[in-house]
Amino acid sequence: MTPTIQVALAGAGAFGIKHLDGIKNIDGVQVAALIGRELDKTRAVAARYGIAHAGTDLAEALARPDIDAVILCTPTPLHAEQTMACLRAGKHVQVEIPLADSLQDAQAVLALQQQTALVAMCGHTRRFNPSHQYLHQRIRKGEFNIQQMDVQTYFFRRSNTNALGQARSWTDHLLWHHAAHTVDLFAYQTNSPIVQANAVQGPIHPVLGIALDMSIQLKAANGAICTLSLSFNNDGPLGTWFRYIGDSATYIARYDDLFTGNEERIDVSTVDVSMNGIELQDREFFAAIRERREPNASVGRVLACYQVLHQLAQQLQ
């Protein structure tokens, strides 16, 4: 590997752009190729970020010997297959959440990663947001213990659109994508495995073929509980809000920002080198490559999340 890590980024949509914005702040990393579904749009994004190559074929980028690593911001149904293609090509890989939309595929990715010993990481961004990092540090010091997490994940997606309101070529999923963030974070923050999980869902949308409303209950081995409400029907503020109810305080985390239970802002600007959780996620990926170590949110460390999602999927069936 050259002193500068050469990266191919697949997915020139809303989330791919978030990664490009983060990577431009990281020394020793260069995005050498951008892969997208529509060539004209991909070329436009590549030009904006000074990326030399734009194309529509991931295999072409994987065949390049100068590419060290790949970041996948592609549709969920492609995640497992493309992650394994990267590993087979000898490339380190970070795949956006979810790792897969089935437990079988998630296990297959982990098995291949263990064979190749390459860095393979999943974009469980909540582990990296300064707000959640702040609480994680307090928990590790014994200063705060979670009794309950109350989480709301709300979007307005009665039509098949992405975060920019653009038409999608695939259908998003409340369980395998959006619930994955909270299921993983709950176990990570409590440092305790999930031992009980229940789910119910609303009617199946006649066009999208998925439920637009879902409710999930979790319990960790240490007794902490979590209630997660998810909706694509919510006509209001969009996003995910985490209320941490603990033995010594209450906190509300909104992405990178943190507040007390009384809506008083907490300064988390010194928690890490950036206030951008996606940038911090990418920094961990590249640091793990350089240091030849397992990253936080490696496919091995997040597999338990997909075991719980599999259990919930079986209940919903």
Side-chain angles (χ1 to χ4, degrees), residues 182-260:
T182 298
V183 170
D184 178 68
L185 182 68
F186 178 60
Y188 178 68
Q189 296 289 59
T190 59
N191 193 30
S192 184
I194 294 169
V195 295
Q196 187 174 351
N198 305 304
V200 293
Q201 65 184 8
I204 302 299
H205 190 279
V207 176
L208 298 179
I210 59 171
L212 299 189
D213 292 278
M214 190 174 295
S215 177
I216 294 173
Q217 292 177 311
L218 306 170
K219 185 173 184 178
N222 67 359
I225 63 172
C226 176
T227 302
L228 169 61
S229 171
L230 307 106
S231 181
F232 282 159
N233 266 319
N234 180 66
D235 190 1
L238 309 181
T240 301
W241 325 129
F242 297 82
R243 180 179 289 271
Y244 287 83
I245 301 172
D247 58 352
S248 59
T250 296
Y251 298 96
I252 302 170
R254 298 185 178 100
Y255 294 95
D256 296 313
D257 298 317
L258 186 65
F259 304 83
T260 69

Side-chain angles (χ1 to χ4, degrees), residues 30-31 45-52:
Q30 181 178 24
V31 179
V45 175
R48 193 190 323 160
Y49 287 89
I51 300 169

